[in-house]
Amino acid sequence: MTAELGQIALILALLVSLAQAWFGLAGATRGRLDWMHAVPGAVLGQVFFTLLAYLALTWALVQNDFSIAYVAENSNTDLPLVYRLTAVWGAHEGSLLLWCMLMSFWTLAATRFSRNLPLPFTSRAIGILGLVSAGFILFTVLTSNPFERLFPMPGEGQDLNPILQDPAMVIHPPMLYLGYLGLSIPFAFAVSSLIGLESNTTWARWTRPWATGAWICLTLGIALGSWWAYYELGWGGWWFWDPVENASFMPWLVATALIHSLAVTEKRGAFRNWTVLLAISAFALAILGAFLVRSGVLVSVHAFATDPTRGVFILMFLAFVVGGALALYAWRAPKMPPGGGFKLSSRETFLLLNNLFLVVAAAAVLLGTLYPLFLDALGLGKISVGPPYFNAVFVPLMLPLLVFLGMGPYARWKQADGGDMLHRLWPFAVAAVVFGVTGTLLLGGNAGVMVLAGVVLGAWAIFSVLAEPVDRIRKRGLRNGLGGIPRSIWGMLVAHAGVGVMVIGIAVVTVFGVEREVRLAPGDSHEIAGYEFRFEGTRDVTGPNWDSIQGQFQVTRNGRDVTQMHPERRIYRARPDPLAQVDLHPRLRRDLYIAMGDYLGDDYWSIRLQYKPMVRWIWLGAIIMSLGGLIAILDRRYRLGSGKRATNGNRED
Amino acid sequence: MWRYILPLGILLVLIAFFWRGLQLDPGEVPSPLIDRPAPNFLLQSLHDPEEMVSELDLVGEVTLFNVWGTWCPGCHEEHEELMRLAHEENVRIIGLNYRDDREAAIQWLERLGSPFERSAYDPDGAVAIDWGVYGAPETFVLDHEGIIRHKHVGEITHEDIDQQLLPLIERLREEAEAG
Amino acid sequence: MKHRQSNPVWHCLLLAVVLLLAWGMAIAGTAPEETFDDPELEERYHSIVAELRCLVCQNESIAESNAELARDLRSRTREMLKDGASDEEIKAYMTDRYGDFVLYRPPVTASTMALWAGPAVMLLLASIGLFIALRRRSQMEDEEVSEEEKNR
C-alpha cells in the first residue's frame, strides 16, 4: 500500500505544481488577483504531497518492504535504522524524491518571505518555480519511479552501497541539493524581472539573500563531499577534479560571482543584464550537473547508475527551462535601464574583477570537463582531461583574485581613493608577506613559488580583513566601533577570512603532504614526516552488517607515544568487495592517515600511510565562509518578511 | 544585438553536443594499435610449455586474437559465440590466456570445447600490456599480413558477430585474395 | 545497479577479488612498492604515475588504483626509470599501447589547442569586454550618491 500511496502522492504533487505554475504565470499576466492569491495554496499542496511521497518511501525502507525494487536494491534487514532512513537518497530514484521535496521547501520559503514584494512579481517567480518543480517530478515519475514493484519479491535486500553508509554521506546530498535547488530562486526572480522589468536595484536586493542562502548550502555541501571523499575513498585526496565534482563546483563559482555582482546591481543599478545572466547560468549549471551525473555521458567515480533516457529528459528540461529563460533574456535585456555610473577605480570595479576571474574559472572548468565529450562527438579521438590540466589553468586564475579580495572591501563605492587604500592596508600586506615567508620556511626548506604565493595570499586574505575593525575601533572605541559594523560587512569579512584559511590549507597540504605505500608485516614499522608507524598485527571485528580485519598501529614521535590507530579492511556481507576503512588522527596542525590495502600473503599487508599537514584548514575555511554568508543574510536590510509591502524603486536601507 | 543572443547560442551548441554524447560510450577506449602490425611477442603455448607462440603465428590468414581468462565472466558469456565463429564460419582464432592458471585454463577448454587454434600463455600479463589490454575479454581482428584492423572491447554478442565482425572478416578475406 | 559485462567497473571488482585470491601467493615475497635509492627518481616516479589514468577503474590514476593492471604499470614505470628512461619515453610507452586516453595531462596537439589556449583566450576577451564596459560606465553622467552609499 505504501508504494501506491507514494505513487499517487507524487502524481498529485505534479498536478499541484502545474496549478501553481498556471495560477502564478497566467494570473500575473492577466492581472487576475484571485488566481495570484491561489498560488500560496498550491505551494502548500506541493509541499504536502512531495513530503507524503518522501515519507512513503522512508516507511517502506523502515519496514523492509522488499516488494519495492528500490528498497530491495538499497536496503537490507541488517542495515542500521539510521542508514535505512537515509537510504532514501542512497541511489538515483530515491535521491530524486528528496530533490523534489527540497524543491518544494525552497518554494515554500520563497513564498513566505516574499509576502511583502509586489504580488505580480512574486506570482510570476513562484509560477516559474512551479514549472521547475513540475519538470523534476515528471522526470521522477516517467524515468525513475522509486515506487516500482519487484516481482517476485526477494527475501532479502542487496544493502545500501557500503561507501554511503557513513555520517557525512547522510548530510552531504541534502546539503548539496539544497544548494543546487536554492539557485532556482535567483533564477526565478531573474526571469520574473525580465518579464516585469522591475527596477534594477530593488530586484537585486530581493534576490541577494536567496543567492547567499543557496551559496551557503552549496559551499557546505561541496565541503562535506570533499571531506567524505578524503576519508572514505582511502586515497587521502580531498579534491580530484572528477567530472561530478566539477559539476558541483561550476555552479558554486558562478553563484559566488552572482553574490558579488548582485552587490553592484543593488548599489548602482549597474550591470543588471550581467547579473541576470549569472543568475540564469548558476541554475543552468546546477541542472547541467544533474545531467552529467545522471546521464552517463562522462565517466566518473561518483556517478549514479546511468540510463540514457534520463539524459534525454534532463536535456529537454535544460532546453525548455534554461533555453526559455535565455530566449526571454535575448528579447527583454535590451530594454533594461543601464543604471548609474562609477569610476574605473571603485568598489564596483573590484567586484566585477571578482566576476571576471570566477566566471573565466568556471568556463575553464566547463571546457576541461566537457572537452573529452566534444572531441569524441566530433570523432577526433578520446582523451582524458585530469587534475594536471585543471590545476594548471585554475590556480593562476585564483592568485590575482586573492590579491583583489583583500583590496576590494577598502575601495569606496563609486570612486575609490588609491592613496587611502594603500594607507590603510600596507601594514596588513607587510604582515601577510612576513607571515607567509617565515611560515613556509618553518614548514620546510624546498618549498616552491606556488606554496609561497598560496600561503602569502591566504594570509593576506585573513589579515586584510582586520583593517576594517581596527579602523573602526581606532575611530570610535571598541564597543561603538565593532557595533557599528553592519552585519552584511561582518559577513563579507568573515567569508573572506574563510577563503584565506582554505587557501593556506590547500597550499600547505599539497606541497608538504607525505604519502607512502608500504608493505608491512606485524612488528614492522615505517617512518614518515617524523612519525613512526608500528604495525602490531590485526584482529577481527564484527559490525551489524559487516565483518572486518582491523589493523593495530602504534604511532610514536621522537620515542613518545602519539596515538593508536585502527584502519580496517571491511567486508559488507551483502556485497563481495572489500572496502578500506581509513583511520585518522586529526589535529588542526596535521592529520595522520592510514588505509589498509590488500593482504599480500605471508602476514604482509599493503598499507598506505599519509601525513597531511593543515588539511583540516580546507574544510574549516569552507565552514567559516558559510558562516560569513549566514551573518550577511541576517542583515536588517534583507528582512523582507516584516514591514509593509515594498514598492518598486523604494529603497529602505 | 548579438551579445544578447550569444548565451542562448552557447546553450544550444552545448545541448547539441550532449545529444550526440548520449549516443557514445565514454568508457570505451580506442586502441592506438589499429592499422599497425601486431606487437612482437614470444610466449609458451598454453597446452605445451615446449612450444612457443609468437606474432608470426597470426600472419597468413584473417585471424582473431582473443584475450581471455577463466576468471573472466565476459569470457564465459562469449565462449559460445567464439565457438560458432571458429567452427561454423571457419575463422582462425588465436587465444591469449591472460593472468590465469595453466591447469585451470586447460580444464576449462576441455570442459567447454576450444574455439582456439592455439593459445599463448601470459600469466603475468606482460604481453597483454604490449597489446594495450585493460580488461578481458578483448578481441583483435588481424588481416592476412598480421596488421591489426579492429579491436572489440568486452564480450562479443551474437549481434556483434553478425553486424560487425563477419562483414569485416569477409572484407579482409577479399582483400587477401585480391592482393 | 545494472552491469553490462563489458562494464569496466565490473571488471575492476572481479579483477580485484579474483586476482587477490589467485595471486596472493605469487606476489608474496616480492616487494610491491619498493622505493628508489635516489630521491630524485622517487620524485619523478610519483609525478609520472599520478598523471597516468588507470584504464580498468577509469577515474583513478594508476598511482591510486589497486587494480592489477595499475600495479603492473607502476612496476613497469619503475623499471623504465631505473633503466634511465626519460619521462617522455615512459609516457610514449603508455600512449603507444593505450592511446592519449591514459594521459591526464592531454598533450598539446591540433585537437587540444582549444583546450589549452581556451582559458587564456577567454580571460583576455573577458578582460577587454570588462574594460570597455567599465570605461563607458566611468564616462556616464553621475547620479547623486546618497551618504549611506559612500559609507561602506
Side-chain angles (χ1 to χ4, degrees):
Chain A
M1 267 312 286
T2 34
E4 286 68 32
L5 180 70
Q7 182 94 60
I8 291 167
L10 208 51
I11 290 167
L12 289 173
L14 174 66
L15 294 177
V16 222
S17 57
L18 285 172
Q20 175 192 329
W22 173 257
F23 286 136
L25 288 166
T29 314
R30 300 189 186 171
R32 292 277 301 260
L33 273 178
D34 50 342
W35 286 8
M36 290 194 270
H37 283 304
V39 171
V43 171
L44 277 180
Q46 193 201 333
V47 170
F48 177 77
F49 287 121
T50 50
L51 186 64
L52 194 63
Y54 175 88
L55 290 177
L57 187 61
T58 306
W59 183 246
L61 282 159
V62 170
Q63 293 290 305
N64 293 315
D65 182 354
F66 299 128
S67 71
I68 297 175
Y70 186 85
V71 179
E73 279 163 24
N74 296 289
S75 186
N76 183 288
T77 44
D78 285 340
L79 187 66
L81 183 65
V82 58
Y83 294 124
R84 264 188 271 159
L85 294 174
T86 62
V88 174
W89 54 89
H92 170 78
E93 292 85 354
S95 70
L96 269 178
L97 204 52
L98 176 72
W99 178 277
C100 293
M101 184 181 72
L102 295 177
M103 181 70 202
S104 75
F105 288 177
W106 271 117
T107 310
L108 183 65
T111 314
R112 284 281 130 136
F113 292 111
S114 302
R115 273 189 293 202
N116 299 311
L117 305 186
L119 189 60
F121 174 83
T122 321
S123 301
R124 277 194 306 270
I126 306 295
I128 290 155
L129 291 175
L131 274 184
V132 172
S133 301
F136 292 148
I137 300 171
L138 194 64
F139 179 52
T140 314
V141 172
L142 289 185
T143 72
S144 321
N145 183 4
F147 297 108
E148 206 155 87
R149 291 284 192 181
L150 194 60
F151 188 84
M153 174 177 151
E156 181 57 287
Q158 290 165 24
D159 209 354
L160 180 64
N161 188 345
I163 62 172
L164 304 182
Q165 296 184 29
D166 177 89
M169 252 305 144
V170 170
I171 38 178
H172 160 69
M175 199 49 104
L176 197 61
Y177 293 177
L178 276 176
Y180 286 149
L181 296 168
L183 292 173
S184 68
I185 297 175
F187 170 82
F189 278 24
V191 174
S192 177
S193 83
L194 280 173
I195 301 171
L197 300 176
E198 273 77 12
S199 109
N200 293 1
T201 49
T202 42
W203 165 73
R205 191 172 66 248
W206 297 336
T207 309
R208 277 184 86 173
W210 299 109
T212 309
W215 176 87
I216 293 169
C217 299
L218 207 47
T219 307
L220 288 175
I222 295 172
L224 278 165
S226 153
W227 180 50
W228 172 81
Y230 168 73
Y231 69 77
E232 188 65 35
L233 297 181
W235 305 327
W238 44 271
W239 193 256
F240 299 95
W241 293 108
D242 180 275
V244 169
E245 288 172 341
N246 294 348
S248 66
F249 194 42
M250 291 184 283
W252 184 86
L253 288 168
V254 174
T256 313
L258 174 65
I259 291 171
H260 291 84
S261 91
L262 275 168
V264 177
T265 306
E266 189 197 352
K267 278 290 173 193
R268 193 65 44 217
F271 287 88
R272 155 71 168 277
N273 286 337
W274 171 248
T275 307
V276 164
L277 204 52
L278 284 181
I280 296 174
S281 310
F283 186 57
L285 286 167
I287 308 272
L288 180 75
F291 172 75
L292 294 179
V293 177
R294 295 170 194 269
S295 71
V297 290
L298 297 169
V299 185
S300 163
V301 272
H302 307 280
F304 287 97
T306 53
D307 176 352
T309 57
R310 291 174 189 160
V312 170
F313 190 99
I314 304 177
L315 217 48
M316 279 161 51
F317 182 80
L318 198 66
F320 177 67
V321 172
V322 181
L326 289 178
L328 195 63
Y329 172 84
W331 174 42
R332 302 292 273 190
K335 299 184 174 61
M336 292 291 172
F342 51 83
K343 293 293 172 225
L344 210 51
S345 161
S346 63
R347 171 87 66 92
E348 288 86 338
T349 298
F350 278 100
L351 287 164
L352 291 167
L353 278 172
N354 151 296
N355 274 221
L356 173 75
F357 288 104
L358 285 175
V359 169
V360 171
V365 174
L366 185 68
L367 181 70
T369 308
L370 298 183
Y371 208 79
L373 174 72
F374 291 159
L375 281 194
D376 199 10
L378 295 171
L380 292 172
K382 295 244 180 177
I383 63 161
S384 301
V385 178
Y389 172 83
F390 290 108
N391 289 330
V393 299
F394 187 76
V395 176
L397 284 169
M398 289 299 109
L399 297 182
L401 182 62
L402 285 167
V403 175
F404 296 137
L405 173 148
M407 294 159 67
Y410 302 97
R412 287 178 180 278
W413 289 105
K414 192 131 178 174
Q415 181 163 13
D417 177 351
D420 171 58
M421 283 170 67
L422 190 67
H423 177 72
R424 294 176 71 184
L425 284 172
W426 74 265
F428 300 97
V430 171
V433 172
V434 171
F435 175 90
V437 172
T438 49
T440 317
L441 285 176
L442 283 178
L443 281 165
N446 61 341
V449 181
M450 277 318 220
V451 63
L452 190 65
V455 178
V456 168
L457 289 174
W460 163 241
I462 298 172
F463 290 165
S464 65
V465 157
L466 299 173
E468 176 76 26
V470 166
D471 272 9
R472 296 253 187 176
I473 291 168
R474 207 186 293 157
K475 279 184 199 148
R476 299 188 202 163
L478 186 64
R479 218 175 139 156
N480 290 337
L482 292 184
I485 303 178
R487 284 194 188 138
S488 58
I489 300 292
W490 270 127
M492 169 190 69
L493 296 174
V494 170
H496 282 186
V499 174
V501 170
M502 176 183 278
V503 168
I504 291 177
I506 292 173
V508 171
V509 76
T510 305
V511 176
F512 297 109
V514 181
E515 176 186 346
R516 284 292 171 267
E517 191 169 329
V518 291
R519 180 173 169 269
L520 298 178
D524 290 351
S525 57
H526 191 85
E527 192 204 290
I528 57 168
Y531 291 90
E532 176 104 6
F533 294 81
R534 194 170 74 241
F535 182 33
E536 296 184 325
T538 59
R539 65 192 182 94
D540 295 336
V541 179
T542 305
N545 53 344
W546 46 264
D547 302 295
S548 85
I549 300 170
Q550 190 185 62
Q552 313 288 312
F553 285 84
Q554 177 69 45
V555 184
T556 55
R557 193 180 189 208
N558 300 329
R560 257 180 298 173
D561 284 357
V562 176
T563 183
Q564 288 179 335
M565 293 175 75
H566 310 284
E568 292 176 19
R569 191 91 188 141
R570 195 178 275 188
I571 295 183
Y572 284 79
R573 282 172 217 128
R575 308 204 174 203
D577 38 325
L579 203 71
Q581 190 77 16
V582 165
D583 198 17
L584 290 170
H585 188 249
R587 287 290 178 269
L588 200 56
R589 184 160 48 84
R590 56 101 189 107
D591 273 18
L592 301 177
Y593 185 110
I594 307 183
M596 295 260 288
D598 297 337
Y599 179 61
L600 302 173
D602 264 356
D603 278 353
Y604 278 98
W605 287 83
S606 167
I607 307 283
R608 190 166 288 201
L609 301 172
Q610 302 199 55
Y611 163 74
K612 293 275 181 192
M614 293 171 89
V615 68
R616 306 257 130 203
W617 288 45
I618 297 171
W619 307 300
L620 185 66
I623 292 170
I624 296 174
M625 283 159 72
S626 317
L627 196 66
L630 195 64
I631 296 170
I633 287 192
L634 296 176
D635 197 290
R636 216 171 289 130
R637 192 147 57 124
Y638 301 122
R639 278 198 206 140
L640 300 170
S642 59
K644 61 182 191 310
R645 190 175 277 276
T647 49
N648 281 5
N650 176 23
R651 314 185 50 153
E652 56 193 14
D653 50 340
Chain B
M1 194 57 221
W2 63 270
R3 66 192 167 119
Y4 296 111
I5 301 173
L6 185 68
L8 184 60
I10 294 175
L11 179 79
L12 293 179
V13 170
L14 281 179
I15 287 178
F17 271 109
F18 290 139
W19 190 264
R20 179 83 189 96
L22 283 175
Q23 294 146 26
L24 302 165
D25 178 4
E28 194 185 303
V29 186
S31 173
L33 295 169
I34 304 295
D35 291 332
R36 288 211 246 151
N40 298 344
F41 68 94
L42 190 63
L43 284 173
Q44 292 176 356
S45 152
L46 175 68
H47 286 91
D48 181 3
E50 302 291 305
E51 191 187 72
M52 302 306 277
V53 184
S54 80
E55 79 281 358
L56 297 175
D57 295 297
L58 304 174
V59 186
E61 66 179 282
V62 177
T63 305
L64 255 55
F65 188 64
N66 177 263
V67 182
W68 67 284
T70 54
W71 48 268
C72 143
C75 303
H76 287 255
E77 299 286 334
E78 72 173 8
H79 179 264
E80 198 181 323
E81 297 303 324
L82 289 181
M83 292 294 276
R84 176 164 80 97
L85 264 183
H87 301 302
E88 288 172 29
E89 307 290 342
N90 290 319
V91 179
R92 180 169 74 172
I93 306 178
I94 307 280
L96 180 72
N97 179 254
Y98 174 48
R99 289 184 181 289
D100 210 346
D101 175 72
R102 195 190 287 266
E103 284 310 309
I106 292 173
Q107 278 172 20
W108 194 74
L109 290 181
E110 273 169 13
R111 190 155 49 84
L112 296 173
S114 172
F116 307 113
E117 186 187 271
R118 59 212 300 209
S119 263
Y121 179 55
D122 187 21
D124 55 7
V127 167
I129 287 181
D130 285 339
W131 282 76
V133 170
Y134 61 92
E138 288 186 10
T139 307
F140 297 82
V141 181
L142 296 92
D143 65 17
H144 66 291
E145 288 173 323
I147 311 284
I148 297 170
R149 301 295 288 265
H150 178 76
K151 176 180 178 182
H152 184 100
V153 176
E155 71 184 90
I156 296 175
T157 62
H158 200 89
E159 292 74 40
D160 289 332
I161 291 185
D162 289 349
Q163 285 159 23
Q164 289 180 10
L165 293 182
L166 276 180
L168 175 68
I169 290 167
E170 210 47 52
R171 194 160 54 82
L172 293 179
R173 281 176 170 165
E174 279 165 21
E175 266 179 41
E177 274 168 35
Chain C
M1 289 247 281
K2 294 182 191 95
H3 289 294
R4 286 177 304 127
Q5 292 298 343
S6 60
N7 189 333
V9 178
W10 192 224
H11 284 169
C12 172
L13 288 181
L14 270 150
L15 267 178
V17 175
V18 177
L19 294 178
L20 178 69
L21 300 173
W23 282 66
M25 295 315 289
I27 292 167
T30 61
E33 306 290 335
E34 47 183 315
T35 50
F36 291 93
D37 295 333
D38 181 354
E40 196 191 324
L41 275 186
E42 182 79 27
E43 192 70 23
R44 276 176 60 203
Y45 166 77
H46 282 290
S47 64
I48 291 173
V49 292
E51 290 196 3
L52 293 174
R53 182 175 190 165
C54 172
L55 287 100
V56 184
C57 301
Q58 281 189 3
N59 261 45
E60 293 172 297
S61 70
I62 66 168
E64 293 156 344
S65 179
N66 277 325
E68 228 19 77
L69 179 64
R71 196 169 294 176
D72 284 355
L73 293 180
R74 283 200 294 266
S75 65
R76 190 59 63 96
T77 306
R78 242 168 234 290
E79 284 163 22
M80 290 184 74
L81 276 172
K82 278 183 181 159
D83 293 342
S86 70
D87 293 8
E88 283 66 37
E89 281 166 345
I90 295 172
K91 284 183 184 171
Y93 175 89
M94 299 296 171
T95 52
D96 279 349
R97 283 153 184 77
Y98 301 102
D100 284 349
F101 191 83
V102 285
L103 301 179
Y104 261 136
R105 185 194 296 274
V108 182
T109 62
S111 60
T112 59
M113 236 15 175
L115 175 69
W116 283 105
V121 171
M122 288 190 291
L123 183 64
L124 190 72
L125 291 179
S127 306
I128 294 169
L130 179 62
F131 182 73
I132 293 172
L134 286 176
R135 214 182 44 180
R136 193 183 303 151
R137 201 48 76 170
S138 71
Q139 288 158 355
M140 275 169 75
E141 272 309 303
D142 283 2
E143 306 171 295
E144 83 299 352
V145 185
S146 64
E147 271 314 297
E148 55 88 18
E149 279 177 339
K150 281 185 184 162
N151 187 10
R152 292 158 319 273

